[in-house]
Amino acid sequence: MTEIILVHGMNADADSWGAVPGLLADAVKGNVTSVPLPGHDKPIDTSNLFKLFALLLISGGKYVSGLSMADYVSSVVERFPGGTDRDVVLVGHSMGGAVISEVARQYPERISKLVYVAAMLPYEGQSPASIIQWIKASGFSSPQRRGKISSHISVR
């Protein structure tokens, strides 16, 4: 049976998926779980999002909460069903894309598909912090360019 695990983004929590888990479960006749990432029990203040990203950059890969990617990966892996079949579909939104990429890198034998929803999609070995550095260096962080960044949904 397919297990779909939904991973939310930076300024979100497990409830941010709304009705999606129920709708997906009905459509695929499988289990759908929305993972609460540690440290995300309440949305963070994003009034100055780039200040928040700068804190991420200078914190050596630790998130503002003091948690690391390993903490997020563990919270997703804990939701894997028993057994060893390749039966897990991971869906990541925003920062959740970086999280599911790392889960798939560490547990490729368990993952059947990755689905990215307007997500950070790092190259192998790339951290979310390095993506943010690239965004700032490329000028996407300027007010004129921010409105031109489009969201994508892709399946890999």
Side-chain angles (χ1 to χ4, degrees):
M1 177 183 282
T2 298
E3 179 82 19
I4 299 175
I5 300 175
L6 306 173
V7 182
H8 62 79
M10 184 183 300
N11 191 34
D13 59 24
D15 294 334
S16 65
W17 290 99
V20 171
L23 294 170
L24 274 176
D26 290 344
V28 301
K29 306 291 188 255
N31 296 320
V32 180
T33 305
S34 180
V35 175
L37 294 177
H40 290 263
D41 49 346
K42 62 179 183 166
I44 54 179
D45 177 18
T46 58
S47 58
N48 189 342
L49 195 54
F50 287 96
K51 179 179 177 184
L52 177 67
F53 287 154
L55 288 172
L56 174 64
L57 291 174
I58 63 174
S59 66
K62 289 274 189 181
Y63 296 93
V64 175
S65 62
L67 297 165
S68 68
M69 181 62 76
D71 298 310
Y72 295 145
V73 168
S74 292
S75 66
V76 173
V77 172
E78 289 171 1
R79 301 303 195 279
F80 280 7
T84 58
D85 294 339
R86 191 177 174 107
D87 53 0
V88 178
V89 175
L90 296 177
V91 180
H93 171 252
S94 188
M95 182 191 76
V99 175
I100 68 170
S101 293
E102 184 59 22
V103 172
R105 187 188 71 75
Q106 292 183 28
Y107 300 92
E109 70 283 355
R110 294 302 308 275
I111 310 302
S112 63
K113 289 195 178 10
L114 299 174
V115 180
Y116 296 90
V117 181
M120 288 184 175
L121 185 56
Y123 296 109
E124 186 173 340
Q126 185 180 31
S127 69
S130 65
I131 294 171
I132 295 162
Q133 285 177 320
W134 175 83
I135 291 170
K136 292 184 93 168
S138 67
F140 283 120
S141 60
S142 69
Q144 298 82 11
R145 301 277 313 264
R146 260 185 251 151
K148 296 180 182 180
I149 300 173
S150 62
S151 298
H152 302 329
I153 297 176
S154 62
V155 178
R156 194 160 90 157

